[in-house]
Amino acid sequence: MPPPILSSMGLVSASFFVASFLVVLGTAQSATLPAPGQPARHGIVNGFEIIGSSLVSAQQIFLGTADKVYFVDKVENNPTRIKGHPAWASEWGLSANDQRPMDPVTNSFCAGGNVLGNGTWLNIGGNQGVSYGGQPAASQYGGGPYNNPDGRQSIRLLDPCDDGSCDWVMSPTQIDQRWYPTLETLEDGTMIILGGCRNGGYVNDAGQDNPTIEFFPSRGRPITSPILQRTLPANLYPLTWLLPSGLLLIQSNWATVFLNYTANEETPLDNIPDAVRVYPASAGTLMLPLTPENNYTATILFCGGSNIQPERWTSPSFIVPTYAASTSCVRLTPDVSRRYQRDDPLPEARTMASFIALPDGRVLNLNGGRMGTAGYGNNSWAVGHSYADNPVLRPAIYDPNAPQGQRWSTEGLQASTVPRMYHSSAVLLPDGSVLVSGSNPNPDYLVGPNIKYPTEYRTELFYPSYYNERRPQPKGLLAKYAYGGQPFDVSLDAEDLFNDVSNVNQTKVVIIRPGFSTHAINMGQRYVELATSYTAYQENSTAILHVSQLPPNPAIIAPGPALIFVVVKGVPSIGGLVMLGSGQLGTQPILPVGELPQANIIASASNGNGQNSTGAASTIRVGGFNRVLMLLALIGLVVL
Ligand SMILES: *[C@@H]1O[C@H](CO)[C@@H](O)[C@H](O)[C@H]1NC(C)=O
Ligand SMILES: *[C@@H]1O[C@H](CO)[C@@H](O)[C@H](O)[C@H]1NC(C)=O
Ligand SMILES: *[C@@H]1O[C@H](CO)[C@@H](O)[C@H](O)[C@H]1NC(C)=O
Ligand SMILES: *[C@@H]1O[C@H](CO)[C@@H](O)[C@H](O)[C@H]1NC(C)=O
Ligand SMILES: *[C@@H]1O[C@H](CO)[C@@H](O)[C@H](O)[C@H]1NC(C)=O
Ligand SMILES: *[C@@H]1O[C@H](CO)[C@@H](O)[C@H](O)[C@H]1NC(C)=O
Ligand SMILES: *[C@@H]1O[C@H](CO)[C@@H](O)[C@H](O)[C@H]1NC(C)=O
Ligand SMILES: [Cu+2]
């Protein structure tokens, strides 16, 4: 962090800006969420429950509203139909447990997705139009049994809704052909779209590679990316995160770079050790919680995948499903060091692990197999068509705060009964359960008694340990959050604090973007803890939680919709869907950060031992951090 150099000009414009913004903020702050209630279900704690059958197979899923999960499949012969052809998308209503088919128009096979800063979801790219068995359709403009035009250049948009009226809409603009692209939301709420191939296949090759990046809305022609160009053949769905520094981290095959996407400049970091993590090796990956304690410093965890050398991928003697997946876990804190560090290995080798950020700060690891990789084909050695085998049915949980050597645990966790192989997915729901669905390592819809890995519709919830606890019901959470600005108050009653006021110092407010889940990646998934302090009353065990707005840097979490939870002693409230930032694409307003009041537990007058514990550690931490935030805010203002 550079030393503070503030020109008088900066201060003048800052104070002018503060004054004008307080008016705006006054309006923004008046909108609060209704206090959340309790889960509608009683869960099987640490276990799975099948809650129904999806209409299409869940190759891609995301939470669009607090009540609706959207499914996107590849084009195939799903018995559910819409507009005279098989459906390949649907909506699942959580409270009513009902569904409806939807129509993404073109073939969304292995598309990428993510959400814009204004709340519109994107689903981008895909495959050619297909017919029975995934064979190319006679016409690439529609018609035929599946009536699906070529989706490789498609930009599909969805504004999620709760009234059953919304459907996918095609953007009139197109992208370059991309099958298996990655989407990452940028700090102005626009989208960067990375990589992909033109014709598909198990891995990429020079003849069909699209080693370029482009943007939505468009910023002009695609730009060549050297890392994508030199990491064939395993460069599809490149693992990409926007870092708090504003650089992007890209991990592809064995290589890692920073991308400065405005200067179009890539800077190499160390190669990743032990295993390939991108598709089709498909490691579990996740940015660990960004918290006031770690100064919002990003650490990325990569676990499993497969140790496959470049020439092996295309070797005719490579029998994929008999090759064991990796147990290796590594971490990278790219804004601090370019070196990967080994972390505790997975309890079981895994390819296609989905990593889900739980509100309590732990990471749930589920889905995938012990052998082989993602992908499928008509090879004699395939398991049916699957290139993976030996499903890992038991989840595992990673605690980033546990001492090294003790971070992974499977204790008490029950196995699922449903293999979740290639084309399965998982996403966090507002009630803190995790929806798990999909699995279809087949070219078309395929079910039957002798099919080991059929097209899977069974949809489960996994209920983490906190699920049946009485949930906190905080009052006063906002509906919109600014980057910087004034703190606000949330009230917790005695029940919310489990009738023990000292639990207020084990209370946190967290924002989670659950992301777009496909191919063991949750694009855009992120966990950010807000700075807090409290005024608590021993006399009646209630507390006012003082909560900071978002850190004044939209690269920490990009604008757009996300869930907010208040977590007391590891038990989250039911998450509310809120808007981060302005709700519009474009440079986000950055505000000076208001100081949090001193944390304080006020002793009962009647209580003889007269405890008056001020949360000194919490307050000093916040104070020190705020100076940094203030500087960032002022830099932002000068730029404005
Ligand atoms: C969000 O921005 C995109 C790109 O400009 C636009 O297509 C979409 O309609 C916008 N959504 C909303 C809700 O305004
Ligand atoms: C990207 O490079 C440009 C030009 O060198 C520089 O001004 C900018 O600060 C860089 N961006 C980041 C996020 O480092
Ligand atoms: C975070 O910042 C504070 C104050 O600037 C500093 O004291 C602390 O060491 C930093 N912590 C980390 C983990 O970098
Ligand atoms: C794979 O095999 C099936 C069944 O024999 C056949 O229908 C299909 O066309 C084949 N697919 C490819 C891509 O060769
Ligand atoms: C919370 O406060 C209680 C009582 O003051 C104390 O015993 C406990 O150690 C504190 N816990 C944390 C995590 O600070
Ligand atoms: C709890 O006690 C404090 C201090 O007497 C008081 O200000 C507050 O209103 C009380 N809260 C409730 C919910 O009774
Ligand atoms: C507790 O301590 C704070 C900070 O020193 C002080 O402002 C407050 O008056 C004290 N409260 C009681 C009830 O003693
Ligand atoms: Cu795929």
Side-chain angles (χ1 to χ4, degrees), residues 435-460:
L435 186 140
V436 184
S437 195
S439 186
N440 185 22
N442 302 294
D444 202 342
Y445 172 72
L446 186 64
V447 296
N450 300 320
I451 310 295
K452 188 169 181 189
Y453 302 124
T455 303
E456 190 58 69
Y457 290 150
R458 283 175 291 173
T459 299
E460 295 166 291

Side-chain angles (χ1 to χ4, degrees), residues 33-58:
L33 295 179
Q38 299 297 315
R41 294 170 180 275
H42 184 83
I44 299 162
V45 166
N46 281 328
F48 293 85
E49 179 188 8
I50 296 173
I51 58 162
S53 281
S54 56
L55 302 180
V56 304
S57 199

Side-chain angles (χ1 to χ4, degrees), residues 293-295 297 624-625 628:
E293 284 79 1
N294 64 29
N295 286 349
T297 307
F625 184 63
V628 175

Side-chain angles (χ1 to χ4, degrees), residues 245-247 260 262-263 265:
S245 64
L247 297 172
N260 176 331
T262 50
E265 216 172 69

Side-chain angles (χ1 to χ4, degrees), residues 44 48 144 286 350 353 443 485 510 599-600 615:
I44 299 162
F48 293 85
L286 172 127
R350 216 186 276 241
V510 305
N600 189 8

Side-chain angles (χ1 to χ4, degrees), residues 364-432:
L364 176 67
N365 166 14
L366 36 65
N367 296 354
R370 253 193 322 278
M371 303 293 288
T373 67
Y376 63 73
N378 264 6
N379 314 66
S380 58
W381 44 255
V383 185
H385 298 101
S386 176
Y387 283 10
D389 205 359
N390 300 74
V392 190
L393 297 172
R394 190 169 57 157
I397 288 185
Y398 176 91
D399 181 354
N401 298 317
Q404 197 155 4
Q406 300 168 31
R407 289 183 183 149
W408 281 108
S409 169
T410 54
E411 210 183 301
L413 302 178
Q414 296 164 41
S416 167
T417 55
V418 186
R420 300 293 181 186
M421 311 305 279
Y422 188 44
H423 291 153
S424 57
S425 55
V427 73
L428 179 73
L429 299 183
D431 71 359

Side-chain angles (χ1 to χ4, degrees), residues 537 539-540 542:
Y537 304 98
E539 149 179 7
N540 54 16
T542 68

